[in-house]
């Protein structure tokens, strides 16, 4: 069975940093990434990374966030620097199985809260 388990969320002041981790199991994933959902807003894509380490970022986080993955450990990370209050959201780890069609993830983690506040 596929499982995605996030960790690393918490409370941080504006301008601070957090590193999110997601330990995945149960499959080989062509694409892994992070979505987020803030109160009263739609869920949005933050960043994705392919099995070959190609990355894509939302415009709002370019230059501040870095996504990476360790294929040997089946783990994806999101390094978040220069955090802003607008980054406050529940962050979800996502994954798409190798060979699966479409753009949307097949699997989702439970989410981890990131709060940026002074």
């Amino acid at each position: 069975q596929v499982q995605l388990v996030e960790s690393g969320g918490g409370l941080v002041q504006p301008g601070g940093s957090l590193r999110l981790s997601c330990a995945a199991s149960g499959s080989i994933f062509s694409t892994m990434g992070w979505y987020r959902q803030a109160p009263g807003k739609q869920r949005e894509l933050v960043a994705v990374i392919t099995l070959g380490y190609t990355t894509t970022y939302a415009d709002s986080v370019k230059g501040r966030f870095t996504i990476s993955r360790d294929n040997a450990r089946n783990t994806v990370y999101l390094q978040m620097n220069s955090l802003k209050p607008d980054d406050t959201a529940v962050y979800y780890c996502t994954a798409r199985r190798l060979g699966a069609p479409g753009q949307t993830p097949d699997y989702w983690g439970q989410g981890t809260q990131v709060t940026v506040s002074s």
Side-chain angles (χ1 to χ4, degrees):
Q1 293 186 330
V2 171
Q3 289 187 335
L4 306 176
V5 181
E6 304 102 329
S7 62
L11 175 65
V12 64
Q13 65 181 357
S17 298
L18 284 174
R19 182 178 175 87
L20 305 183
S21 299
C22 175
S25 62
S27 185
I28 298 173
F29 304 104
S30 60
T31 302
M32 302 182 73
W34 297 88
Y35 280 71
R36 67 185 181 187
Q37 187 167 22
K41 296 184 178 180
Q42 295 294 313
R43 185 177 60 197
E44 65 175 347
L45 176 67
V46 177
V48 295
I49 184 167
T50 70
L51 193 62
Y53 306 109
T54 300
T55 59
T56 303
Y57 296 92
D59 288 342
S60 60
V61 306
K62 287 181 180 178
R64 299 189 298 120
F65 291 10
T66 302
I67 190 170
S68 61
R69 67 188 288 175
D70 183 339
N71 291 333
R73 295 179 178 272
N74 231 11
T75 301
V76 63
Y77 306 93
L78 186 68
Q79 178 67 45
M80 303 185 293
N81 298 326
S82 301
L83 283 162
K84 306 174 181 179
D86 285 348
D87 295 318
T88 296
V90 177
Y91 284 70
Y92 297 92
C93 178
T94 67
R96 187 163 67 90
R97 292 170 296 167
L98 181 65
Q103 297 176 292
T104 59
D106 293 308
Y107 300 99
W108 297 76
Q110 297 181 44
T112 185
Q113 177 71 47
V114 172
T115 302
V116 184
S117 176
S118 60

